[in-house]
Each structure stands twice: as structure tokens, then as C-alpha cells.
Amino acid sequence: MAAGDRGAAAEYFGGQRVAERLEEALNALFPRRPADLYGELANYLSKYSKTPVICKLVGRKVLDGVGQPTLEVEIYCTVKNCEKRICSTVMSSHSQIPENALPETIEAYEKERNDFVNTAVEWVNEALNTVLRDLEPTDQCQVDKMLGEYFTNKVEEKEKNQKQEEEAEATVSPTPRTLSPASPPAKKKGKSGKKSVAEKPIPPAEPAEPVLCGSLAIGGASLAIAKAGATVSHIPLYLHVALLKHDQELPEEITLPLPMVTLLNCEKISPSKLKLVKEVMLIPPVQLSLKQGIERILGIQKEMTRLMESSGKMSGPQLADGKKGKAQNSGKKGLPQFVKRISHLGCLTTGYDDLEQLLLVMQTACNKRGLELGTDMYLAINCAAHELMDYDKGKYEILTGTFKTPDEMVPMYAELIDKFPFIIALIDPLRKEDREQWSNICCALGSKCYLIAEDAATCISKLKIDHSINTPLCSGVVLKYINQTKVSDLIELSGILDGQRRITILGSPDGESSDDSLVDLAVGLGARFIKLGGLSRGERVTKYNRLLAIEEELAKNRTLREAKLEFITFAEESQPEIQLSDVLPPPQED
């Protein structure tokens, strides 16, 4: 080395305090005499290295758990002067196509979905690469702020293009279009000799918010960078999210969300008559560990399968009479004829003629395992009421040919919960538009079970209005990580729900992927429940496995807090008050 270079080198290394820090490292390591001296030396000096920054995002089209195209986002960072792949995430897809959709409707949706994913891949590989380059992956607020601004610009760009197209169309054909008169409503059939009673009109269905083509890129980039932030900080994602939510103050203890495990997916199409129930979910008692609860649910699932497979040979088991909460059978109706398939939700798919028939099968399966509903296991029912409304009649079709007005649904649910108190949660018991009835059902049943809005919370961007949640009055909300949802959005919304003493439920979309980040999000946000589907299909089981791993880790670190079930009493002024429930006695031993 030339003399001039030596001087420059001394100045360069002196400015970086290299000699001083090497001496510190050698003095610190000598007493320990590590077997891998140079490895330990590298670890010691790494704390002086620069914070990793994002250098590249890679987007690609992959398939989700139901074979639909979706987006994968990979994050590369500059770490110790080298480009390094940090992590990736795969977005889940949410379909709003009904079960009985026409083939052409499904085909159009699949084409649109494909276009959406291709655009999202383009956004990630081009614009977002530039927008997010050189940001620190640990700075989630700044990342999400820039993602939000980019998305807003895209929305404004689309609106501008639509306006120009409309103006161009008006210039080509200036003749105003006339609206054809609305056809009169069909006359309702009624019994002869009886006057029809005028019924209160129902609020019309709110139009579905359009999804911007490419919006998957926003959610995918935000979640992938959150995972990268956790990775470079050498902590699990759930701790990273908890730190983000609590302003970098780590909670002393963490409570795991209780799983709502889907056991049955009930078809609402012929020949099944029961339409009121879409999903039946099992909730284990809080006194059990998650591992014990999952094992108990697996046992009930096996009994359900056996019952359904042998249903053609039996007329239905008899259950004890006279006890509240016991389904009874007169012998006229047997069990469903067979299990048709495993649903995309990872559970058994079948159909029923009425609700008591369904509860009879559940009760029988539990009894065969020596368990009792209401003590050893609880039920949650997803009613998906928005799928039941007959808009010509203005009523919900709860059974084939049996209709009820929104006002009539409230006492029906009150009777149901009074008769079967082991049902501790109803999801979407009404449409989101029936806000008056939501308030009524909350006042009537809020202290007995959770009344949860899921369909009303599908679009995260419409939920927050002036530091409040834009949903009907309810016990809690199911949040789903889809489309343009950002990690910061979930943190903000869960904080608002906490402040309003309502519960947060993290929900798995229909088209789930093998990415298990949703579980870490639920734990980090402090969600009360997590709704992942059933205990079949790899993309769903991998999430339960992740939840079990987190439980084991927290128990080992002695930072696991036991969950509680707290129902909410709604006052007449619709201000919720927390009430500890006494409906959960200690479980019986298996």
C-alpha cells in the first residue's frame, strides 16, 4: 500500500472507530473463548452495521388453496452490503360469488380475478419497487403511508378515466337515455278471504364496493414488509405487530385468540331445507389449552363423520327429554344421508331439514365422546343472513318456503339462544342494512352471546369513519386481510374496537393460502377469536399448527395469559358494558 493510501486508510478506519471497537470485541470475547471465534466476532460487530433497507420487491402470480390465482410478494433488503432475500407472503382471495352462481358468472369472475392479479404483479415489480426502495422494513407506518398514497392516486386516476370515458360517450350519443318504468312488484300469494297487511319496507341492499384492479399489491406489500421487519429484528411476527400496536412497549403477557373451528358447512341449496345456518363452529372452553381444545374438536369431528356415514341405517338417536339445551328427536327425521365432500373451508359439507336436526347430530357426537355441549364445548353459528333475503318478499327465507321479516328474526334468535344456551356466538344474524334490528337483538341477547358482524366488515376501507366503526351495533367485528388492507389499518381498527369495548375477530377468507401470517396478526393484535375454517386442507391446518407453536413458545417464556369470555350488555342508549359471563363452568375431565 502506498504511503498516501496508508494515510487515507488510517483516516477512514479511524473515523469509523474500527480499532477501538475491535479492541472492545476482543476483550469481551477472550474470557468466553468461543469455539467459533470469527463467527462470534462477526456477531459482536454486527450491532454496528447499518440498518437493513429495502432494495427490491418481487411480485409473482401463484395459486391459492382453491386453485385461484393470487399474489406472492418477496422482499429483498440490503444487509451488510449484500442483497438478501428476507421473506415472502402470499395473499388470500375473497370471493363474493354465491354458491349457486351461474357458470357464466363464475367464468367472468375468474377472468376478472386473473386480470386483478396480473395488474398487482405489475404494480409490485414496477411502481412499488421505486416507491418503497431504501425504506427501513421496520418503519411500518411510513411504508403503509406511502402505500396508501399510491393507492389513493390509483383510485383518483381510475375515476378521472371513467369521467373522461363518460364525457366521450355523451359526445358521441347526446340523446339522453330514458329509464324504463319499474315493473310493479309481484302480487303476494295469500289465503283467500284474508286482507293483506302492509309491511314495513326493508332497506335496500348496499351496493358492493368495487375492488380496484391491482389492489392486492397494497395488502401484499404491507404484510410482506411487516414480516421483513420482524425478520431483521430477530423476533416473531406476532411480537413485531404487538410492538407496533403498543408504541414499541411489549405487553408483559399475551392472550391467544380462541379458535372458532368450523365443523360443518351447511349447504343452503336443494334438497336441504335449512337455510338459516351456513357454518357450525366449535369453541373449546377457555380452561383448556389450545392443544387440548384442538384434540377434543378432532374427536368430535371423527364422531360426526361416523354418524353421517351410518345415517342411512338409523332413524336418529334419542336424547334425554326435559333438559334445557337438549335437542330432541321424535324418530320421524333421521340424520343426513351422507357427507358429500370436504368443503373449501376445510370441514364436512352436508345439509339439514331444520335446526333441531342439526343440533341433534352435534349433541349425539359430543355424547359419544363423553362430552356435553355447554360445558365441554360451545357452538358458534354463522347465519350469513345477507344470503337469505328474498327482496321480492322483503323477508328472510330461513327454511325452504318459510319466511320471516327482519323484526320477526329478533324474537326467533332470542328463543333459539334461550333454548340452546350452548350457542355463544351468532355471526351475521341479520343483514348489515337492518341496523334497527341489530340494535334490538344486541339489547335482547348481548349479555348471553356474541353478536358478530362479518359481511358488514368485508371492506376494511369503509369501516373507519371519524374514529368510529361503520357497522351496525354488535359485539364484535370479523376483520379480513384482503385487497388493499394494510397492517396499519388492522392495528388502527383493532384499537378503535378495544376503545369501544367490542371484540376483534381475525377471519380467514374463502380462498385461503398456505401463508400463516394471519395467525401472527391475530395474536399480535390481541384478537378475542380467530376464524380459520376447519381442521382439513393444508392451507388451513398450517395456521392451526402455527397457533399451536405460538402457544408453546409463550408457555415456555411464561408470557401466556389465559383467555376469558366476556359478553357485552347493551344499554338502551346502545352503549356496551362488559359483563363477565358465568356460563362457562370448568370442563369435565376427558
Side-chain angles (χ1 to χ4, degrees):
M1 182 182 293
D5 290 340
R6 288 186 188 136
E11 182 180 354
Y12 171 72
F13 290 123
Q16 300 292 327
R17 300 172 60 192
V18 173
E20 178 184 340
R21 283 169 176 166
L22 274 174
E23 184 178 358
E24 289 175 1
L26 294 174
N27 289 334
L29 297 181
F30 178 71
R32 293 159 50 188
R33 292 177 174 82
D36 182 2
L37 173 60
Y38 291 103
E40 196 68 20
L41 190 60
N43 290 337
Y44 186 92
L45 293 174
S46 66
K47 64 184 179 182
Y48 299 114
S49 62
K50 288 188 175 181
T51 303
V53 294
I54 299 167
C55 64
K56 184 171 69 174
L57 280 74
V58 175
R60 65 171 59 89
K61 181 163 68 172
V62 295
L63 298 179
D64 65 15
V66 293
Q68 290 292 328
T70 191
L71 174 70
E72 179 184 25
V73 179
E74 285 185 329
I75 302 297
Y76 289 76
C77 289
T78 301
V79 183
K80 300 181 180 68
N81 300 312
C82 296
E83 181 183 289
K84 182 179 179 182
R85 181 188 184 277
I86 304 298
C87 64
S88 70
T89 191
V90 178
M91 287 293 286
S92 303
S93 60
H94 177 72
S95 172
Q96 294 181 318
I97 301 298
E99 295 175 354
N100 55 349
L102 296 173
E104 51 267 29
T105 303
I106 297 174
E107 184 178 350
Y109 166 77
E110 290 176 347
K111 182 181 182 304
E112 182 182 59
R113 176 78 190 176
N114 200 54
D115 293 340
F116 279 22
V117 174
N118 288 337
T119 303
V121 170
E122 182 182 321
W123 284 14
V124 172
N125 290 331
E126 296 178 9
L128 295 185
N129 241 322
T130 304
V131 169
L132 302 176
R133 187 176 296 134
D134 296 331
L135 290 180
E136 296 181 9
T138 53
D139 192 356
Q140 192 71 39
C141 290
Q142 182 63 21
V143 166
D144 285 348
K145 178 176 179 289
M146 299 190 76
L147 286 171
E149 290 173 355
Y150 178 82
F151 181 75
T152 300
N153 291 337
K154 283 293 183 181
V155 171
E156 292 173 353
E157 180 183 318
K158 181 182 178 182
E159 291 174 348
K160 181 180 179 182
N161 291 339
Q162 285 180 335
K163 185 177 180 181
Q164 290 176 348
E165 290 173 4
E166 290 171 0
E167 290 174 352
E169 183 181 343
T171 304
V172 173
S173 72
T175 306
R177 291 177 293 176
T178 57
L179 297 175
S180 57
S183 56
K187 294 182 179 179
K188 298 181 180 179
K189 294 181 180 179
K191 295 182 180 180
S192 57
K194 289 188 178 181
K195 295 182 180 179
S196 60
V197 180
E199 294 175 348
K200 184 166 61 175
I202 63 167
E206 295 178 11
E209 183 176 7
V211 178
L212 183 64
C213 185
S215 60
L216 271 175
I218 304 300
S222 178
L223 182 55
I225 290 172
K227 291 178 71 173
T231 302
V232 301
S233 300
H234 307 290
I235 58 174
L237 178 58
Y238 68 86
L239 283 183
H240 183 60
V241 173
L243 287 168
L244 290 172
K245 180 173 180 178
H246 298 286
D247 296 325
Q248 300 304 314
E249 291 186 14
L250 189 64
E252 293 183 4
E253 293 182 314
I254 293 178
T255 303
L256 284 182
L258 283 171
M260 288 181 165
V261 183
T262 306
L263 183 67
L264 295 175
N265 181 209
C266 302
E267 292 189 329
K268 295 187 177 186
I269 56 178
S270 181
S272 305
K273 294 181 180 179
L274 178 63
K275 297 182 180 294
L276 183 63
V277 177
K278 182 173 184 177
E279 290 178 82
V280 179
M281 291 158 283
L282 296 176
I283 302 175
V286 295
Q287 294 85 357
L288 295 181
S289 68
L290 177 66
K291 183 178 180 181
Q292 291 170 328
I294 294 296
E295 289 173 351
R296 187 173 285 188
I297 290 170
L298 281 171
I300 296 173
Q301 180 174 288
K302 290 177 182 176
E303 291 299 334
M304 286 292 297
T305 304
R306 291 192 192 103
L307 282 171
M308 294 182 186
E309 287 175 346
S310 61
S311 62
K313 304 174 184 178
M314 56 194 299
S315 62
Q318 298 286 337
L319 294 180
D321 296 340
K323 290 187 179 181
K324 189 176 182 179
K326 294 281 189 177
Q328 301 168 27
N329 183 27
S330 63
K332 295 180 181 179
K333 295 179 181 179
L335 299 173
Q337 292 301 308
F338 54 86
V339 180
K340 293 186 176 181
R341 64 183 183 275
I342 295 294
S343 163
H344 67 283
L345 297 175
C347 60
L348 305 171
T349 300
T350 186
Y352 293 89
D353 290 336
D354 59 52
L355 186 55
E356 290 211 16
Q357 183 194 40
L358 182 157
L359 296 174
L360 166 68
V361 183
M362 297 293 303
Q363 188 79 59
T364 305
C366 288
N367 287 349
K368 285 182 174 290
R369 303 293 297 187
L371 305 173
E372 183 178 348
L373 284 174
T375 302
D376 307 303
M377 192 61 63
Y378 301 91
L379 294 189
I381 293 179
N382 182 3
C383 304
H386 54 284
E387 299 178 3
L388 306 180
M389 177 58 70
D390 184 320
Y391 286 93
D392 290 333
K393 294 182 171 64
K395 296 181 178 181
Y396 294 100
E397 187 176 17
I398 60 170
L399 293 169
T400 301
T402 302
F403 298 87
K404 287 190 178 292
T405 64
D407 286 331
E408 292 170 339
M409 296 288 279
V410 176
M412 182 198 72
Y413 285 124
E415 182 181 352
L416 173 68
I417 299 303
D418 186 59
K419 190 173 183 180
F420 304 110
F422 51 74
I423 301 173
I424 63 167
L426 295 174
I427 299 176
D428 283 341
L430 297 156
R431 298 181 311 142
K432 58 187 173 185
E433 294 83 3
D434 295 323
R435 291 180 177 253
E436 178 184 343
Q437 289 75 22
W438 270 99
S439 297
N440 294 340
I441 196 174
C442 283
C443 292
L445 295 177
S447 62
K448 299 178 181 179
C449 75
Y450 292 103
L451 300 157
I452 298 168
E454 179 173 11
D455 178 63
T458 298
C459 189
I460 297 291
S461 62
K462 293 183 71 174
L463 274 180
K464 189 177 76 72
I465 295 180
D466 297 330
H467 304 288
S468 185
I469 300 293
N470 181 30
T471 62
L473 185 66
C474 58
S475 307
V477 173
V478 179
L479 302 178
K480 296 183 180 181
Y481 197 89
I482 54 175
N483 299 326
Q484 70 268 22
T485 305
K486 302 183 293 296
V487 172
S488 297
D489 295 334
L490 290 186
I491 291 172
E492 184 177 9
L493 287 168
S494 67
I496 293 173
L497 288 168
D498 292 345
Q500 294 180 348
R501 292 180 293 180
R502 292 200 273 180
I503 64 170
T504 299
I505 302 100
L506 262 286
S508 182
D510 294 338
E512 193 47 276
S513 73
S514 58
D515 192 295
D516 60 11
S517 305
L518 182 71
V519 175
D520 286 76
L521 289 174
V523 175
L525 293 171
R528 182 71 55 85
F529 293 102
I530 186 168
K531 185 172 175 285
L532 297 174
L535 290 169
S536 298
R537 298 186 65 99
E539 69 273 12
R540 298 190 181 272
V541 174
T542 189
K543 293 174 179 57
Y544 287 107
N545 287 337
R546 175 59 184 153
L547 197 57
L548 289 166
I550 294 176
E551 179 186 54
E552 184 177 328
E553 182 178 325
L554 292 176
K556 183 178 179 181
N557 297 335
R558 298 182 179 180
T559 55
L560 178 62
R561 181 193 300 145
E562 185 178 279
K564 293 180 180 179
L565 284 180
E566 300 171 337
F567 296 141
I568 301 173
T569 299
F570 293 87
E572 292 298 325
E573 294 81 10
S574 301
Q575 295 296 326
E577 297 178 357
I578 297 295
Q579 176 181 354
L580 288 174
S581 171
D582 296 324
V583 303
L584 302 172
Q588 297 178 358
E589 295 293 330
D590 287 333

